[in-house]
Amino acid sequence: MSKKNVLIIGASSGIAEAVARRYAEQGSNFVLVARSQAKLDVIAADLIARGAKGVQTRLWEGHDTASLPEIAGFAWSALGTVDLALIAHGTLPDQPRAQRDLAYALEQFRTNGESAVACMLALAGHFEAQGNGVLAVIGSVAGDRGRGSNYVYGAAKAAVDALASGLRAQLFKKGVHVLTIKPGFVATPMTAELDLPAALTATPDRVAADIQRAVDARCNVLYTPWFWTWIMRIIRFLPTAIFKRLSL
């Protein structure tokens, strides 16, 4: 595998860091985008130590969709071409609070849905003009079917899934690949407070390895780890009469 020019939006997330470390070991160049300069500085120094050829950083808040065209332009100007863009930012909403606080629920939907959609749209034109590369976005298995325990998050990720599917069909004809990544449970700082089932919970590095293979193989949709393909197939096809009685 050769070095790449990599843009990561949400670069301080656990999965994004793990992905970046893998590409750094190949001598890749990076533009990293996140909301904390202190975290970006730490990540950049780590990537350089691991072999990255160069790292440039930009601050960005997830709701600031107006600045995305400028950030996309900066990335292409800094890197020349972008071989891989990974959209990885997000939050894990407090579902009970979302059920009683409309403003909070909509804020979470914007962060996990609208913002990621805006990122994809802001990058799509650059990829189309370039005529190659991979646009990857982290969705979730939660987007496959709305569940009672996290339907605000699931609805936002479903929007990401639908936009990526349409963009994949459009950009395929231009030589660009769109990858939708659907992790299950992952042990990251975002999930640190949750009591996740150990047997179903992956490390960020395992997910990053799957993402790297999916990028190289030009996969359309990645369930990671692999067994979520079968778990979600069962969940998607459960009859509603049964599904609505489950505590999922």
Side-chain angles (χ1 to χ4, degrees), residues 53-93:
K53 184 178 180 182
V55 181
Q56 299 189 58
T57 63
R58 288 296 299 265
L59 286 176
W60 178 68
E61 288 285 347
H63 292 172
D64 182 16
T65 55
S67 68
L68 286 171
E70 188 275 331
I71 288 175
F74 171 79
W76 259 265
S77 176
L79 298 172
T81 59
V82 175
D83 301 306
L84 168 65
L86 174 64
I87 301 167
H89 66 287
T91 59
L92 191 61

PDB file of all heavy atoms in Angstrom, residues 53-93:
ATOM      1  N   LYS A  53       4.355  12.183   6.421  1.00  0.00           N
ATOM      2  CA  LYS A  53       5.236  13.113   5.706  1.00  0.00           C
ATOM      3  C   LYS A  53       4.935  14.548   6.099  1.00  0.00           C
ATOM      4  O   LYS A  53       5.830  15.386   6.183  1.00  0.00           O
ATOM      5  CB  LYS A  53       5.074  12.921   4.203  1.00  0.00           C
ATOM      6  CG  LYS A  53       6.018  13.777   3.376  1.00  0.00           C
ATOM      7  CD  LYS A  53       5.842  13.490   1.891  1.00  0.00           C
ATOM      8  CE  LYS A  53       6.800  14.366   1.059  1.00  0.00           C
ATOM      9  NZ  LYS A  53       6.597  14.117  -0.395  1.00  0.00           N
ATOM     10  N   GLY A  54       3.671  14.848   6.323  1.00  0.00           N
ATOM     11  CA  GLY A  54       3.278  16.206   6.699  1.00  0.00           C
ATOM     12  C   GLY A  54       1.885  16.209   7.284  1.00  0.00           C
ATOM     13  O   GLY A  54       1.048  15.371   6.917  1.00  0.00           O
ATOM     14  N   VAL A  55       1.619  17.114   8.194  1.00  0.00           N
ATOM     15  CA  VAL A  55       0.302  17.240   8.817  1.00  0.00           C
ATOM     16  C   VAL A  55      -0.050  18.721   8.938  1.00  0.00           C
ATOM     17  O   VAL A  55       0.716  19.494   9.517  1.00  0.00           O
ATOM     18  CB  VAL A  55       0.255  16.605  10.224  1.00  0.00           C
ATOM     19  CG1 VAL A  55      -1.150  16.734  10.810  1.00  0.00           C
ATOM     20  CG2 VAL A  55       0.698  15.151  10.181  1.00  0.00           C
ATOM     21  N   GLN A  56      -1.182  19.099   8.393  1.00  0.00           N
ATOM     22  CA  GLN A  56      -1.703  20.445   8.571  1.00  0.00           C
ATOM     23  C   GLN A  56      -3.055  20.331   9.269  1.00  0.00           C
ATOM     24  O   GLN A  56      -3.784  19.343   9.082  1.00  0.00           O
ATOM     25  CB  GLN A  56      -1.846  21.168   7.237  1.00  0.00           C
ATOM     26  CG  GLN A  56      -0.507  21.327   6.514  1.00  0.00           C
ATOM     27  CD  GLN A  56      -0.609  22.217   5.303  1.00  0.00           C
ATOM     28  OE1 GLN A  56      -1.010  23.373   5.401  1.00  0.00           O
ATOM     29  NE2 GLN A  56      -0.236  21.675   4.156  1.00  0.00           N
ATOM     30  N   THR A  57      -3.388  21.330  10.049  1.00  0.00           N
ATOM     31  CA  THR A  57      -4.603  21.242  10.862  1.00  0.00           C
ATOM     32  C   THR A  57      -5.480  22.466  10.647  1.00  0.00           C
ATOM     33  O   THR A  57      -5.000  23.548  10.313  1.00  0.00           O
ATOM     34  CB  THR A  57      -4.258  21.132  12.356  1.00  0.00           C
ATOM     35  OG1 THR A  57      -3.576  22.326  12.783  1.00  0.00           O
ATOM     36  CG2 THR A  57      -3.377  19.923  12.633  1.00  0.00           C
ATOM     37  N   ARG A  58      -6.783  22.255  10.864  1.00  0.00           N
ATOM     38  CA  ARG A  58      -7.761  23.348  10.817  1.00  0.00           C
ATOM     39  C   ARG A  58      -8.791  23.128  11.909  1.00  0.00           C
ATOM     40  O   ARG A  58      -9.257  22.000  12.133  1.00  0.00           O
ATOM     41  CB  ARG A  58      -8.481  23.390   9.457  1.00  0.00           C
ATOM     42  CG  ARG A  58      -7.616  23.868   8.312  1.00  0.00           C
ATOM     43  CD  ARG A  58      -7.163  25.308   8.487  1.00  0.00           C
ATOM     44  NE  ARG A  58      -8.260  26.238   8.543  1.00  0.00           N
ATOM     45  CZ  ARG A  58      -8.727  26.916   7.483  1.00  0.00           C
ATOM     46  NH1 ARG A  58      -8.161  26.748   6.297  1.00  0.00           N
ATOM     47  NH2 ARG A  58      -9.725  27.745   7.613  1.00  0.00           N
ATOM     48  N   LEU A  59      -9.163  24.232  12.565  1.00  0.00           N
ATOM     49  CA  LEU A  59     -10.229  24.166  13.562  1.00  0.00           C
ATOM     50  C   LEU A  59     -11.579  24.240  12.874  1.00  0.00           C
ATOM     51  O   LEU A  59     -11.763  24.968  11.894  1.00  0.00           O
ATOM     52  CB  LEU A  59     -10.088  25.320  14.557  1.00  0.00           C
ATOM     53  CG  LEU A  59      -8.961  25.217  15.584  1.00  0.00           C
ATOM     54  CD1 LEU A  59      -8.909  26.491  16.422  1.00  0.00           C
ATOM     55  CD2 LEU A  59      -9.148  23.994  16.468  1.00  0.00           C
ATOM     56  N   TRP A  60     -12.543  23.508  13.428  1.00  0.00           N
ATOM     57  CA  TRP A  60     -13.898  23.539  12.868  1.00  0.00           C
ATOM     58  C   TRP A  60     -14.883  23.015  13.899  1.00  0.00           C
ATOM     59  O   TRP A  60     -14.647  21.988  14.538  1.00  0.00           O
ATOM     60  CB  TRP A  60     -13.977  22.673  11.601  1.00  0.00           C
ATOM     61  CG  TRP A  60     -15.348  22.619  10.994  1.00  0.00           C
ATOM     62  CD1 TRP A  60     -16.022  23.645  10.394  1.00  0.00           C
ATOM     63  CD2 TRP A  60     -16.211  21.482  10.920  1.00  0.00           C
ATOM     64  NE1 TRP A  60     -17.256  23.216   9.950  1.00  0.00           N
ATOM     65  CE2 TRP A  60     -17.383  21.890  10.268  1.00  0.00           C
ATOM     66  CE3 TRP A  60     -16.090  20.154  11.339  1.00  0.00           C
ATOM     67  CZ2 TRP A  60     -18.449  21.018  10.025  1.00  0.00           C
ATOM     68  CZ3 TRP A  60     -17.145  19.290  11.104  1.00  0.00           C
ATOM     69  CH2 TRP A  60     -18.314  19.724  10.449  1.00  0.00           C
ATOM     70  N   GLU A  61     -15.988  23.724  14.057  1.00  0.00           N
ATOM     71  CA  GLU A  61     -17.079  23.266  14.909  1.00  0.00           C
ATOM     72  C   GLU A  61     -18.110  22.544  14.051  1.00  0.00           C
ATOM     73  O   GLU A  61     -18.441  22.997  12.942  1.00  0.00           O
ATOM     74  CB  GLU A  61     -17.740  24.451  15.626  1.00  0.00           C
ATOM     75  CG  GLU A  61     -16.893  25.066  16.730  1.00  0.00           C
ATOM     76  CD  GLU A  61     -16.858  24.196  17.985  1.00  0.00           C
ATOM     77  OE1 GLU A  61     -17.660  23.257  18.092  1.00  0.00           O
ATOM     78  OE2 GLU A  61     -15.994  24.462  18.849  1.00  0.00           O
ATOM     79  N   GLY A  62     -18.640  21.455  14.547  1.00  0.00           N
ATOM     80  CA  GLY A  62     -19.521  20.603  13.756  1.00  0.00           C
ATOM     81  C   GLY A  62     -20.779  21.247  13.222  1.00  0.00           C
ATOM     82  O   GLY A  62     -21.363  20.757  12.253  1.00  0.00           O
ATOM     83  N   HIS A  63     -21.212  22.362  13.807  1.00  0.00           N
ATOM     84  CA  HIS A  63     -22.423  23.024  13.315  1.00  0.00           C
ATOM     85  C   HIS A  63     -22.112  24.130  12.305  1.00  0.00           C
ATOM     86  O   HIS A  63     -23.026  24.711  11.734  1.00  0.00           O
ATOM     87  CB  HIS A  63     -23.212  23.626  14.483  1.00  0.00           C
ATOM     88  CG  HIS A  63     -23.803  22.583  15.361  1.00  0.00           C
ATOM     89  ND1 HIS A  63     -24.411  22.877  16.564  1.00  0.00           N
ATOM     90  CD2 HIS A  63     -23.889  21.239  15.240  1.00  0.00           C
ATOM     91  CE1 HIS A  63     -24.841  21.762  17.126  1.00  0.00           C
ATOM     92  NE2 HIS A  63     -24.535  20.757  16.345  1.00  0.00           N
ATOM     93  N   ASP A  64     -20.845  24.410  12.102  1.00  0.00           N
ATOM     94  CA  ASP A  64     -20.460  25.514  11.224  1.00  0.00           C
ATOM     95  C   ASP A  64     -20.399  25.031   9.784  1.00  0.00           C
ATOM     96  O   ASP A  64     -19.330  24.921   9.188  1.00  0.00           O
ATOM     97  CB  ASP A  64     -19.113  26.081  11.679  1.00  0.00           C
ATOM     98  CG  ASP A  64     -18.680  27.268  10.836  1.00  0.00           C
ATOM     99  OD1 ASP A  64     -19.541  27.832  10.121  1.00  0.00           O
ATOM    100  OD2 ASP A  64     -17.481  27.621  10.888  1.00  0.00           O
ATOM    101  N   THR A  65     -21.546  24.759   9.214  1.00  0.00           N
ATOM    102  CA  THR A  65     -21.572  24.235   7.839  1.00  0.00           C
ATOM    103  C   THR A  65     -21.168  25.301   6.820  1.00  0.00           C
ATOM    104  O   THR A  65     -20.701  24.962   5.733  1.00  0.00           O
ATOM    105  CB  THR A  65     -22.963  23.682   7.502  1.00  0.00           C
ATOM    106  OG1 THR A  65     -23.945  24.700   7.728  1.00  0.00           O
ATOM    107  CG2 THR A  65     -23.288  22.476   8.372  1.00  0.00           C
ATOM    108  N   ALA A  66     -21.330  26.574   7.169  1.00  0.00           N
ATOM    109  CA  ALA A  66     -21.008  27.644   6.215  1.00  0.00           C
ATOM    110  C   ALA A  66     -19.522  27.672   5.862  1.00  0.00           C
ATOM    111  O   ALA A  66     -19.150  28.107   4.763  1.00  0.00           O
ATOM    112  CB  ALA A  66     -21.433  28.995   6.785  1.00  0.00           C
ATOM    113  N   SER A  67     -18.670  27.220   6.784  1.00  0.00           N
ATOM    114  CA  SER A  67     -17.229  27.275   6.518  1.00  0.00           C
ATOM    115  C   SER A  67     -16.712  26.048   5.782  1.00  0.00           C
ATOM    116  O   SER A  67     -15.525  25.994   5.429  1.00  0.00           O
ATOM    117  CB  SER A  67     -16.468  27.426   7.845  1.00  0.00           C
ATOM    118  OG  SER A  67     -16.587  26.243   8.622  1.00  0.00           O
ATOM    119  N   LEU A  68     -17.558  25.060   5.535  1.00  0.00           N
ATOM    120  CA  LEU A  68     -17.079  23.824   4.914  1.00  0.00           C
ATOM    121  C   LEU A  68     -16.500  24.011   3.506  1.00  0.00           C
ATOM    122  O   LEU A  68     -15.486  23.383   3.179  1.00  0.00           O
ATOM    123  CB  LEU A  68     -18.199  22.784   4.897  1.00  0.00           C
ATOM    124  CG  LEU A  68     -18.499  22.142   6.253  1.00  0.00           C
ATOM    125  CD1 LEU A  68     -19.762  21.290   6.183  1.00  0.00           C
ATOM    126  CD2 LEU A  68     -17.311  21.301   6.724  1.00  0.00           C
ATOM    127  N   PRO A  69     -17.109  24.850   2.654  1.00  0.00           N
ATOM    128  CA  PRO A  69     -16.469  25.044   1.327  1.00  0.00           C
ATOM    129  C   PRO A  69     -15.045  25.581   1.445  1.00  0.00           C
ATOM    130  O   PRO A  69     -14.153  25.153   0.694  1.00  0.00           O
ATOM    131  CB  PRO A  69     -17.405  26.054   0.651  1.00  0.00           C
ATOM    132  CG  PRO A  69     -18.738  25.803   1.276  1.00  0.00           C
ATOM    133  CD  PRO A  69     -18.428  25.506   2.717  1.00  0.00           C
ATOM    134  N   GLU A  70     -14.805  26.479   2.376  1.00  0.00           N
ATOM    135  CA  GLU A  70     -13.458  27.029   2.554  1.00  0.00           C
ATOM    136  C   GLU A  70     -12.506  25.952   3.076  1.00  0.00           C
ATOM    137  O   GLU A  70     -11.344  25.867   2.638  1.00  0.00           O
ATOM    138  CB  GLU A  70     -13.523  28.223   3.518  1.00  0.00           C
ATOM    139  CG  GLU A  70     -12.205  28.998   3.635  1.00  0.00           C
ATOM    140  CD  GLU A  70     -11.252  28.382   4.656  1.00  0.00           C
ATOM    141  OE1 GLU A  70     -11.752  27.771   5.614  1.00  0.00           O
ATOM    142  OE2 GLU A  70     -10.019  28.498   4.469  1.00  0.00           O
ATOM    143  N   ILE A  71     -12.978  25.138   4.004  1.00  0.00           N
ATOM    144  CA  ILE A  71     -12.132  24.063   4.533  1.00  0.00           C
ATOM    145  C   ILE A  71     -11.806  23.043   3.441  1.00  0.00           C
ATOM    146  O   ILE A  71     -10.660  22.580   3.328  1.00  0.00           O
ATOM    147  CB  ILE A  71     -12.819  23.391   5.739  1.00  0.00           C
ATOM    148  CG1 ILE A  71     -12.791  24.342   6.937  1.00  0.00           C
ATOM    149  CG2 ILE A  71     -12.154  22.060   6.085  1.00  0.00           C
ATOM    150  CD1 ILE A  71     -13.537  23.843   8.137  1.00  0.00           C
ATOM    151  N   ALA A  72     -12.796  22.710   2.617  1.00  0.00           N
ATOM    152  CA  ALA A  72     -12.536  21.778   1.508  1.00  0.00           C
ATOM    153  C   ALA A  72     -11.506  22.369   0.553  1.00  0.00           C
ATOM    154  O   ALA A  72     -10.580  21.676   0.108  1.00  0.00           O
ATOM    155  CB  ALA A  72     -13.842  21.468   0.780  1.00  0.00           C
ATOM    156  N   GLY A  73     -11.655  23.655   0.242  1.00  0.00           N
ATOM    157  CA  GLY A  73     -10.682  24.304  -0.639  1.00  0.00           C
ATOM    158  C   GLY A  73      -9.283  24.299  -0.044  1.00  0.00           C
ATOM    159  O   GLY A  73      -8.298  24.086  -0.754  1.00  0.00           O
ATOM    160  N   PHE A  74      -9.212  24.518   1.266  1.00  0.00           N
ATOM    161  CA  PHE A  74      -7.906  24.478   1.939  1.00  0.00           C
ATOM    162  C   PHE A  74      -7.272  23.097   1.807  1.00  0.00           C
ATOM    163  O   PHE A  74      -6.061  22.971   1.543  1.00  0.00           O
ATOM    164  CB  PHE A  74      -8.072  24.840   3.419  1.00  0.00           C
ATOM    165  CG  PHE A  74      -6.831  24.610   4.228  1.00  0.00           C
ATOM    166  CD1 PHE A  74      -5.786  25.531   4.200  1.00  0.00           C
ATOM    167  CD2 PHE A  74      -6.684  23.468   5.017  1.00  0.00           C
ATOM    168  CE1 PHE A  74      -4.626  25.312   4.936  1.00  0.00           C
ATOM    169  CE2 PHE A  74      -5.530  23.255   5.748  1.00  0.00           C
ATOM    170  CZ  PHE A  74      -4.502  24.169   5.713  1.00  0.00           C
ATOM    171  N   ALA A  75      -8.068  22.052   1.997  1.00  0.00           N
ATOM    172  CA  ALA A  75      -7.526  20.693   1.932  1.00  0.00           C
ATOM    173  C   ALA A  75      -6.951  20.392   0.560  1.00  0.00           C
ATOM    174  O   ALA A  75      -5.846  19.842   0.442  1.00  0.00           O
ATOM    175  CB  ALA A  75      -8.614  19.687   2.306  1.00  0.00           C
ATOM    176  N   TRP A  76      -7.683  20.733  -0.476  1.00  0.00           N
ATOM    177  CA  TRP A  76      -7.193  20.440  -1.826  1.00  0.00           C
ATOM    178  C   TRP A  76      -5.986  21.316  -2.157  1.00  0.00           C
ATOM    179  O   TRP A  76      -5.072  20.892  -2.836  1.00  0.00           O
ATOM    180  CB  TRP A  76      -8.301  20.611  -2.856  1.00  0.00           C
ATOM    181  CG  TRP A  76      -8.869  19.292  -3.256  1.00  0.00           C
ATOM    182  CD1 TRP A  76      -8.501  18.537  -4.348  1.00  0.00           C
ATOM    183  CD2 TRP A  76      -9.880  18.535  -2.569  1.00  0.00           C
ATOM    184  NE1 TRP A  76      -9.231  17.371  -4.386  1.00  0.00           N
ATOM    185  CE2 TRP A  76     -10.087  17.341  -3.320  1.00  0.00           C
ATOM    186  CE3 TRP A  76     -10.638  18.753  -1.422  1.00  0.00           C
ATOM    187  CZ2 TRP A  76     -11.005  16.377  -2.938  1.00  0.00           C
ATOM    188  CZ3 TRP A  76     -11.557  17.802  -1.046  1.00  0.00           C
ATOM    189  CH2 TRP A  76     -11.737  16.617  -1.792  1.00  0.00           C
ATOM    190  N   SER A  77      -5.981  22.547  -1.661  1.00  0.00           N
ATOM    191  CA  SER A  77      -4.836  23.427  -1.901  1.00  0.00           C
ATOM    192  C   SER A  77      -3.595  22.902  -1.180  1.00  0.00           C
ATOM    193  O   SER A  77      -2.486  22.920  -1.731  1.00  0.00           O
ATOM    194  CB  SER A  77      -5.163  24.841  -1.412  1.00  0.00           C
ATOM    195  OG  SER A  77      -4.051  25.694  -1.541  1.00  0.00           O
ATOM    196  N   ALA A  78      -3.792  22.403   0.049  1.00  0.00           N
ATOM    197  CA  ALA A  78      -2.654  21.935   0.847  1.00  0.00           C
ATOM    198  C   ALA A  78      -2.101  20.606   0.349  1.00  0.00           C
ATOM    199  O   ALA A  78      -0.888  20.371   0.394  1.00  0.00           O
ATOM    200  CB  ALA A  78      -3.076  21.802   2.315  1.00  0.00           C
ATOM    201  N   LEU A  79      -3.004  19.726  -0.103  1.00  0.00           N
ATOM    202  CA  LEU A  79      -2.590  18.369  -0.465  1.00  0.00           C
ATOM    203  C   LEU A  79      -2.395  18.169  -1.969  1.00  0.00           C
ATOM    204  O   LEU A  79      -1.774  17.201  -2.388  1.00  0.00           O
ATOM    205  CB  LEU A  79      -3.614  17.351   0.047  1.00  0.00           C
ATOM    206  CG  LEU A  79      -3.798  17.287   1.574  1.00  0.00           C
ATOM    207  CD1 LEU A  79      -4.970  16.379   1.943  1.00  0.00           C
ATOM    208  CD2 LEU A  79      -2.521  16.811   2.264  1.00  0.00           C
ATOM    209  N   GLY A  80      -2.961  19.055  -2.770  1.00  0.00           N
ATOM    210  CA  GLY A  80      -2.894  18.894  -4.221  1.00  0.00           C
ATOM    211  C   GLY A  80      -4.018  18.001  -4.708  1.00  0.00           C
ATOM    212  O   GLY A  80      -4.909  18.434  -5.430  1.00  0.00           O
ATOM    213  N   THR A  81      -3.977  16.741  -4.328  1.00  0.00           N
ATOM    214  CA  THR A  81      -5.088  15.811  -4.549  1.00  0.00           C
ATOM    215  C   THR A  81      -5.423  15.168  -3.204  1.00  0.00           C
ATOM    216  O   THR A  81      -4.568  15.068  -2.328  1.00  0.00           O
ATOM    217  CB  THR A  81      -4.725  14.698  -5.553  1.00  0.00           C
ATOM    218  OG1 THR A  81      -3.600  13.978  -5.053  1.00  0.00           O
ATOM    219  CG2 THR A  81      -4.382  15.280  -6.916  1.00  0.00           C
ATOM    220  N   VAL A  82      -6.663  14.735  -3.076  1.00  0.00           N
ATOM    221  CA  VAL A  82      -7.085  14.039  -1.856  1.00  0.00           C
ATOM    222  C   VAL A  82      -7.428  12.607  -2.249  1.00  0.00           C
ATOM    223  O   VAL A  82      -8.385  12.366  -2.979  1.00  0.00           O
ATOM    224  CB  VAL A  82      -8.289  14.731  -1.192  1.00  0.00           C
ATOM    225  CG1 VAL A  82      -8.776  13.917   0.003  1.00  0.00           C
ATOM    226  CG2 VAL A  82      -7.908  16.148  -0.757  1.00  0.00           C
ATOM    227  N   ASP A  83      -6.625  11.666  -1.790  1.00  0.00           N
ATOM    228  CA  ASP A  83      -6.889  10.252  -2.098  1.00  0.00           C
ATOM    229  C   ASP A  83      -7.995   9.684  -1.217  1.00  0.00           C
ATOM    230  O   ASP A  83      -8.749   8.819  -1.645  1.00  0.00           O
ATOM    231  CB  ASP A  83      -5.615   9.433  -1.872  1.00  0.00           C
ATOM    232  CG  ASP A  83      -4.478   9.926  -2.728  1.00  0.00           C
ATOM    233  OD1 ASP A  83      -4.656  10.009  -3.959  1.00  0.00           O
ATOM    234  OD2 ASP A  83      -3.413  10.254  -2.169  1.00  0.00           O
ATOM    235  N   LEU A  84      -8.054  10.171   0.033  1.00  0.00           N
ATOM    236  CA  LEU A  84      -9.060   9.678   0.969  1.00  0.00           C
ATOM    237  C   LEU A  84      -9.534  10.822   1.854  1.00  0.00           C
ATOM    238  O   LEU A  84      -8.715  11.523   2.448  1.00  0.00           O
ATOM    239  CB  LEU A  84      -8.469   8.573   1.861  1.00  0.00           C
ATOM    240  CG  LEU A  84      -9.308   8.149   3.078  1.00  0.00           C
ATOM    241  CD1 LEU A  84     -10.629   7.508   2.623  1.00  0.00           C
ATOM    242  CD2 LEU A  84      -8.520   7.190   3.968  1.00  0.00           C
ATOM    243  N   ALA A  85     -10.849  11.007   1.900  1.00  0.00           N
ATOM    244  CA  ALA A  85     -11.446  11.928   2.870  1.00  0.00           C
ATOM    245  C   ALA A  85     -12.320  11.101   3.792  1.00  0.00           C
ATOM    246  O   ALA A  85     -13.186  10.350   3.331  1.00  0.00           O
ATOM    247  CB  ALA A  85     -12.273  13.005   2.174  1.00  0.00           C
ATOM    248  N   LEU A  86     -12.079  11.226   5.087  1.00  0.00           N
ATOM    249  CA  LEU A  86     -12.857  10.490   6.084  1.00  0.00           C
ATOM    250  C   LEU A  86     -13.631  11.484   6.942  1.00  0.00           C
ATOM    251  O   LEU A  86     -13.032  12.372   7.553  1.00  0.00           O
ATOM    252  CB  LEU A  86     -11.926   9.656   6.968  1.00  0.00           C
ATOM    253  CG  LEU A  86     -12.590   8.946   8.164  1.00  0.00           C
ATOM    254  CD1 LEU A  86     -13.598   7.900   7.687  1.00  0.00           C
ATOM    255  CD2 LEU A  86     -11.528   8.291   9.054  1.00  0.00           C
ATOM    256  N   ILE A  87     -14.931  11.327   6.985  1.00  0.00           N
ATOM    257  CA  ILE A  87     -15.797  12.168   7.816  1.00  0.00           C
ATOM    258  C   ILE A  87     -16.135  11.354   9.048  1.00  0.00           C
ATOM    259  O   ILE A  87     -16.804  10.317   8.966  1.00  0.00           O
ATOM    260  CB  ILE A  87     -17.058  12.575   7.050  1.00  0.00           C
ATOM    261  CG1 ILE A  87     -16.675  13.344   5.786  1.00  0.00           C
ATOM    262  CG2 ILE A  87     -17.976  13.425   7.936  1.00  0.00           C
ATOM    263  CD1 ILE A  87     -17.821  13.525   4.806  1.00  0.00           C
ATOM    264  N   ALA A  88     -15.664  11.816  10.208  1.00  0.00           N
ATOM    265  CA  ALA A  88     -15.705  10.939  11.385  1.00  0.00           C
ATOM    266  C   ALA A  88     -16.244  11.610  12.638  1.00  0.00           C
ATOM    267  O   ALA A  88     -16.198  11.004  13.710  1.00  0.00           O
ATOM    268  CB  ALA A  88     -14.290  10.415  11.662  1.00  0.00           C
ATOM    269  N   HIS A  89     -16.727  12.824  12.533  1.00  0.00           N
ATOM    270  CA  HIS A  89     -17.162  13.500  13.755  1.00  0.00           C
ATOM    271  C   HIS A  89     -18.570  13.043  14.146  1.00  0.00           C
ATOM    272  O   HIS A  89     -19.337  12.539  13.322  1.00  0.00           O
ATOM    273  CB  HIS A  89     -17.146  15.012  13.563  1.00  0.00           C
ATOM    274  CG  HIS A  89     -18.141  15.511  12.569  1.00  0.00           C
ATOM    275  ND1 HIS A  89     -17.995  15.328  11.204  1.00  0.00           N
ATOM    276  CD2 HIS A  89     -19.320  16.170  12.726  1.00  0.00           C
ATOM    277  CE1 HIS A  89     -19.018  15.870  10.578  1.00  0.00           C
ATOM    278  NE2 HIS A  89     -19.855  16.380  11.475  1.00  0.00           N
ATOM    279  N   GLY A  90     -18.896  13.251  15.423  1.00  0.00           N
ATOM    280  CA  GLY A  90     -20.228  12.884  15.888  1.00  0.00           C
ATOM    281  C   GLY A  90     -20.294  12.876  17.404  1.00  0.00           C
ATOM    282  O   GLY A  90     -19.277  13.045  18.094  1.00  0.00           O
ATOM    283  N   THR A  91     -21.501  12.707  17.906  1.00  0.00           N
ATOM    284  CA  THR A  91     -21.727  12.604  19.343  1.00  0.00           C
ATOM    285  C   THR A  91     -22.661  11.424  19.592  1.00  0.00           C
ATOM    286  O   THR A  91     -23.287  10.908  18.660  1.00  0.00           O
ATOM    287  CB  THR A  91     -22.384  13.884  19.896  1.00  0.00           C
ATOM    288  OG1 THR A  91     -23.633  14.094  19.214  1.00  0.00           O
ATOM    289  CG2 THR A  91     -21.482  15.094  19.710  1.00  0.00           C
ATOM    290  N   LEU A  92     -22.746  11.016  20.833  1.00  0.00           N
ATOM    291  CA  LEU A  92     -23.699   9.964  21.209  1.00  0.00           C
ATOM    292  C   LEU A  92     -24.762  10.602  22.099  1.00  0.00           C
ATOM    293  O   LEU A  92     -24.492  10.880  23.272  1.00  0.00           O
ATOM    294  CB  LEU A  92     -22.989   8.833  21.932  1.00  0.00           C
ATOM    295  CG  LEU A  92     -23.835   7.561  22.148  1.00  0.00           C
ATOM    296  CD1 LEU A  92     -24.266   6.989  20.801  1.00  0.00           C
ATOM    297  CD2 LEU A  92     -23.040   6.533  22.924  1.00  0.00           C
ATOM    298  N   PRO A  93     -25.942  10.881  21.559  1.00  0.00           N
ATOM    299  CA  PRO A  93     -26.955  11.620  22.326  1.00  0.00           C
ATOM    300  C   PRO A  93     -27.459  10.865  23.551  1.00  0.00           C
ATOM    301  O   PRO A  93     -27.456   9.634  23.602  1.00  0.00           O
ATOM    302  CB  PRO A  93     -28.094  11.786  21.309  1.00  0.00           C
ATOM    303  CG  PRO A  93     -27.480  11.570  19.981  1.00  0.00           C
ATOM    304  CD  PRO A  93     -26.375  10.579  20.194  1.00  0.00           C
TER     305      PRO A  93
END
